[in-house]
Amino acid sequence: MLKDLLYVIPKEKHSQEDLKEILTNHPEIKFVSLVGIDLSGNDTDERIPMKIFMDDISGFLKGAIQTDGSSVVLPGIATLNNAKVDMIADTDVNWFVDYNFELMYEDTNRPVGTLRIPCFLIHEGNAVDSRHILKAATTLVKDSLFDSYKKYPELLSAYNATFDDVDDVVATAATELEFWVKTPDDKAEVQELFTSQFLQEQYWTRTKGAVRSALEETLLLMEAYGLEPEMGHKEVGGVKAHLTETGDLTHVMEQLEIDWKYADAVQAADNELFVRSLVKETFRRYGLDVTFLAKPINGVAGSGEHTHLSIALKLKNGKRFNLYASTNSSFLSIYGYGSLMGILKNYEVINPIVSATNDSLRRLKPGFEAPVCIVTSLGHSVEVPSRNRTILLGVIRDLANPLSTRFELRAPNPFTNTYLALAALFTTSMDGINYAIENKKTEDALLAELSKSAGEDAAYLEKDRAYRSEEDVFEDFTDEERSKLFGKAPATVYENTSAFGKYPEKVAVLKAGDVFTEKILNSFRIGVERRWLTEINSRIVSDYANEIRGFKKLHSAERALDLDVANWEKINALRLYLLKDTYSTKSLFTRISDATEAENYDEVSNLQIELDAKMKELRDLYISYRKNLIDIE
């Protein structure tokens, strides 16, 4: 059955005539869904009967469908008194058919399908969605390099080409998706998970049972959709499942990763969005829950989504060159060095886009290979590519295949808005590339600037910072040294978004070519901060309160030692400090609520840092207290 289904309508087949013919021949595709991506990365999902679409295909492609601004995250743009948002189809990317394998269409005995059509969200004549922003960034890359090749035709001599030979410049990208999978309602002890992780008992081991079946079906479906999966495997997190009497596995708790090939940047982001849905639905059919949270379990490995990017030059004779790859004997080309420098120099205003949630920052802690330092690694020599996993932005090189040269940003997580993250990366890349081109910098000169020491003057990079390290940035530097050399990582969402106000010159780089407008950045920031405040007050505080109430006295007075009593007194004092108000004092929870009500967000941020520290202290104390007890009431 799988081989008979229509999975993709390629971008070459989006004319009204082609669509009518294709969809008439596939009556099992019963619905259409226009997919717009708001500034939080949420995708719209609706079911429009196919008959309505077939009666007015042209109208649909030009914007016959509208949505209410309250249904998407566009604060400050789509307001209650001006909420109409038009949805216009993007015909320049592939369209996927999403199948409901639990509902069969009787006439064909095939599952009912929904044609998902990516679209732009238009408000008052302006595109305001994440897909448009990424598309604008890729246009900036192309237009900027075309202008450079006109102005400096000697740049093309390395590729034995002239300006007339150039066909296209393409921004390309790929992502790696990590996620946790488990049987519903089953829980594993954090200590058990941590021990298994530390011993690397699960990493790349054999998958079994329903997990294996779900993973393999996912990879087969990805092949059917033309997504070219490269690998699916276990990641470092997880514990061994239990075998029931019937031979089924229960108490599943595993971390997996799926990788697939690169594409042009907008298509790559669309592919990732669809794969997330494909993974979730496929594993659910096998009775397994999937979570894409960055840090679903405190103290255990989080899930990343390493994001890869590069820029390709296409000539009219069919030849393709990776612009990041050196044509000499250097680590990178001038485009590669410039791009790397542009991202690193401006990362303070990229970071709020990459790490926009409480969950994302819980994963980004020093150690655990968490990329919190704004630094790169090239390798100790050109002949030996680097694989330093402690840095933020890695350079991936294959000496036998220059086309594979790319950068790997290690900070994103599965809920990072990939459209906006890639847009920010390519826009800041072009700032560095333009610096390299306009100042006629050589590869050696750029390598020297990128490798400079903190305190050394540079024409583009900041004087007081270092940007390259071949060392383990967690083991070989103290906290103070890391902060001085590579900058201090934000501890809260609000600290992160505050960079938009703190670094206006770097925000100006994001606004180049109107990729990110002032209105878009303001709307994004409002949405992020609203979600931050809501989550703290409505979810985090509530979850912590339930956890605190679960920390109960376990010893009996007649059997307890002085140490047990002292431990419990410390625990109870912390419980009261966090949760309990009195006539004369307010608990930490209440102070957070008061600061939120007063719109004192600096105070909320500081109190959140204190809250997380106190909760860690409380958990550690309770573990020590419990371990010391023989008899528990």
Side-chain angles (χ1 to χ4, degrees):
M1 179 184 71
L2 289 179
K3 63 182 176 61
D4 297 325
L5 297 177
L6 175 71
Y7 292 96
V8 181
I9 299 182
K11 58 185 178 181
E12 297 81 14
K13 295 289 186 179
H14 290 168
S15 69
Q16 184 170 343
E17 295 74 20
D18 284 335
L19 289 171
K20 191 174 284 287
E21 179 183 355
I22 291 169
L23 294 170
T24 298
N25 291 330
H26 288 275
E28 68 276 7
I29 303 176
K30 306 297 290 181
F31 303 103
V32 166
S33 177
L34 289 175
V35 184
I37 315 296
D38 67 20
L39 297 183
S40 285
N42 304 314
D43 56 312
T44 59
D45 184 39
E46 67 285 324
R47 294 295 181 273
I48 301 169
M50 183 57 69
K51 183 181 184 305
I52 295 176
F53 178 75
M54 294 287 274
D55 287 345
D56 187 20
I57 293 176
S58 178
F60 267 79
L61 299 184
K62 294 176 182 177
I65 298 300
Q66 300 172 352
T67 185
D68 189 333
S70 62
S71 63
V72 288
V73 180
L74 298 168
I77 296 177
T79 56
L80 286 175
N81 64 334
N82 187 13
K84 182 174 74 71
V85 177
D86 297 310
M87 307 175 79
I88 297 181
D90 184 356
T91 57
D92 291 333
V93 293
N94 296 333
W95 297 352
F96 298 120
V97 181
D98 178 25
Y99 286 102
N100 181 356
F101 289 98
E102 295 166 318
L103 179 63
M104 306 301 289
Y105 180 53
E106 292 181 359
D107 290 359
T108 61
N109 196 32
R110 295 175 181 173
V112 169
T114 297
L115 177 62
R116 286 173 59 87
I117 302 178
C119 71
F120 302 111
L121 302 177
I122 310 297
H123 183 263
E124 293 188 328
N126 297 312
V128 292
D129 60 286
S130 296
R131 297 187 80 261
H132 161 75
I133 294 167
L134 177 52
K135 198 158 192 173
T138 62
T139 299
L140 174 70
V141 170
K142 177 177 177 177
D143 290 350
S144 296
L145 287 174
F146 264 76
D147 288 345
S148 293
Y149 291 143
K150 278 185 183 177
K151 190 174 181 180
Y152 308 107
E154 64 271 17
L155 289 169
L156 292 166
S157 61
Y159 308 103
N160 295 316
T162 66
F163 180 77
D164 290 337
D165 296 324
V166 177
D167 179 47
D168 204 359
V169 172
V170 183
T172 64
T175 55
E176 305 169 12
L177 187 62
E178 294 177 2
F179 54 94
W180 279 85
V181 57
K182 72 182 192 72
T183 41
D185 300 324
D186 284 338
K187 295 181 180 180
E189 290 289 339
V190 171
Q191 186 63 44
E192 184 183 3
L193 286 164
F194 174 79
T195 302
S196 178
Q197 172 186 313
F198 185 81
L199 297 175
Q200 295 188 319
E201 292 175 335
Q202 296 292 308
Y203 197 43
W204 282 45
T205 59
R206 179 185 175 91
T207 53
K208 301 180 182 69
V211 175
R212 174 179 175 175
S213 297
L215 177 61
E216 291 177 353
E217 184 174 331
T218 298
L219 295 173
L220 290 171
L221 284 169
M222 289 175 67
E223 285 184 347
Y225 280 103
L227 295 170
E228 299 185 88
E230 294 183 323
M231 188 183 302
H233 63 86
K234 281 194 181 186
E235 256 292 339
V236 68
V239 290
K240 188 176 180 180
H242 298 174
L243 188 66
T244 67
E245 294 179 355
T246 59
D248 296 322
L249 292 174
T250 186
H251 290 80
V252 172
M253 182 76 73
E254 299 182 20
Q255 189 182 35
L256 304 178
E257 178 181 319
I258 291 176
D259 308 327
W260 59 97
K261 283 195 174 180
Y262 64 85
D264 72 78
V266 177
Q267 186 65 66
D270 283 350
N271 292 350
E272 181 224 298
L273 186 72
F274 188 73
V275 169
R276 280 210 323 243
S277 176
L278 195 67
V279 166
K280 221 169 174 52
E281 285 300 301
T282 303
F283 277 78
R284 186 185 60 78
R285 288 198 296 275
Y286 286 89
L288 297 166
D289 280 342
V290 167
T291 178
F292 295 113
L293 287 173
K295 194 73 171 176
I297 308 167
N298 279 317
V300 181
S303 293
E305 186 183 67
H306 301 166
T307 299
H308 299 248
L309 66 151
S310 62
I311 302 174
L313 172 67
K314 293 174 65 176
L315 302 182
K316 292 174 182 176
N317 61 10
K319 291 185 178 180
R320 185 182 180 109
F321 298 94
N322 186 319
L323 286 179
Y324 286 174
S326 174
T327 55
N328 300 311
S329 56
S330 190
F331 291 99
L332 296 166
S333 68
I334 61 167
Y335 308 96
Y337 285 124
S339 180
L340 198 59
M341 291 162 64
I343 294 170
L344 292 172
K345 179 182 178 180
N346 295 289
Y347 193 74
E348 285 88 354
V349 295
I350 302 172
N351 198 6
I353 295 168
V354 170
S355 303
T357 62
N358 289 297
D359 182 57
S360 64
L361 292 178
R362 287 193 196 101
R363 170 177 162 261
L364 300 181
K365 302 294 183 185
F368 298 102
E369 300 177 349
V372 299
C373 302
I374 303 175
V375 61
T376 190
S377 167
L378 300 177
H380 293 286
S381 69
V382 174
E383 294 75 26
V384 183
S386 170
R387 200 63 184 105
N388 188 339
R389 296 173 61 83
T390 68
I391 45 83
L392 173 73
L393 191 61
V395 177
I396 310 298
R397 297 166 56 239
D398 182 347
L399 301 181
N401 181 16
L403 281 174
S404 70
T405 302
R406 62 195 185 276
F407 301 150
E408 176 191 53
L409 185 69
R410 296 175 51 75
N413 68 85
F415 276 135
T416 291
N417 184 334
T418 298
Y419 297 90
L420 295 188
L422 285 173
L425 291 168
F426 281 117
T427 303
T428 54
S429 284
M430 281 313 306
D431 188 64
I433 290 172
N434 288 337
Y435 159 74
I437 290 174
E438 291 167 7
N439 292 279
K440 301 186 184 305
K441 293 290 184 178
T442 64
E443 291 175 356
D444 288 344
L446 293 168
L447 172 60
E449 183 167 355
L450 180 63
S451 306
K452 78 177 193 69
S453 301
E456 184 180 342
D457 282 321
Y460 181 73
L461 295 176
E462 295 173 10
K463 176 179 179 178
D464 295 331
R465 298 278 288 275
Y467 294 91
R468 176 188 176 189
S469 175
E470 303 306 330
E471 310 298 324
D472 184 320
V473 297
F474 300 123
E475 295 293 332
D476 298 331
F477 300 97
T478 65
D479 291 345
E480 184 179 353
E481 287 171 335
R482 277 198 303 271
S483 295
K484 182 178 180 181
L485 292 172
F486 313 123
K488 189 175 185 300
T492 70
V493 170
Y494 187 71
E495 278 190 15
N496 211 3
T497 58
S498 294
F500 289 143
K502 188 176 179 181
Y503 300 100
E505 73 286 357
K506 299 184 181 186
V507 170
V509 174
L510 288 180
K511 293 179 180 177
D514 286 331
V515 174
F516 289 90
T517 64
E518 184 68 30
K519 181 176 281 191
I520 288 291
L521 286 172
N522 185 57
S523 179
F524 174 80
R525 178 173 181 170
I526 292 171
V528 167
E529 290 177 359
R530 282 180 182 174
R531 185 172 61 237
W532 168 66
L533 291 168
T534 300
E535 187 177 10
I536 289 174
N537 287 278
S538 300
R539 181 172 295 165
I540 292 176
V541 165
S542 177
D543 289 347
Y544 281 173
N546 289 333
E547 187 177 355
I548 290 166
R549 293 186 180 105
F551 293 145
K552 300 181 182 298
K553 185 172 75 170
L554 300 173
H555 66 273
S556 59
E558 62 274 11
R559 295 182 180 177
L561 300 176
D562 290 346
L563 179 60
D564 301 322
V565 174
N567 282 342
W568 173 248
E569 287 177 351
K570 290 178 187 176
I571 291 166
N572 202 40
L574 260 180
R575 292 170 76 235
L576 297 175
Y577 177 80
L578 290 163
L579 186 59
K580 189 75 170 175
D581 289 338
T582 69
Y583 282 117
S584 58
T585 61
K586 291 183 177 180
S587 69
L588 185 54
F589 287 173
T590 300
R591 288 157 57 202
I592 289 173
S593 178
D594 289 349
T596 302
E597 189 70 24
E599 298 184 2
N600 187 346
Y601 301 150
D602 281 313
E603 179 69 6
V604 176
S605 178
N606 291 332
L607 291 174
Q608 183 186 10
I609 294 170
E610 182 185 1
L611 174 61
D612 288 342
K614 293 292 185 187
M615 285 302 299
K616 182 181 185 307
E617 182 184 355
L618 180 59
R619 292 182 187 116
D620 290 344
L621 281 171
Y622 198 73
I623 289 171
S624 297
Y625 164 68
R626 187 184 178 95
K627 280 183 177 178
N628 198 53
L629 296 176
I630 296 175
D631 298 307
I632 296 177
E633 286 188 337

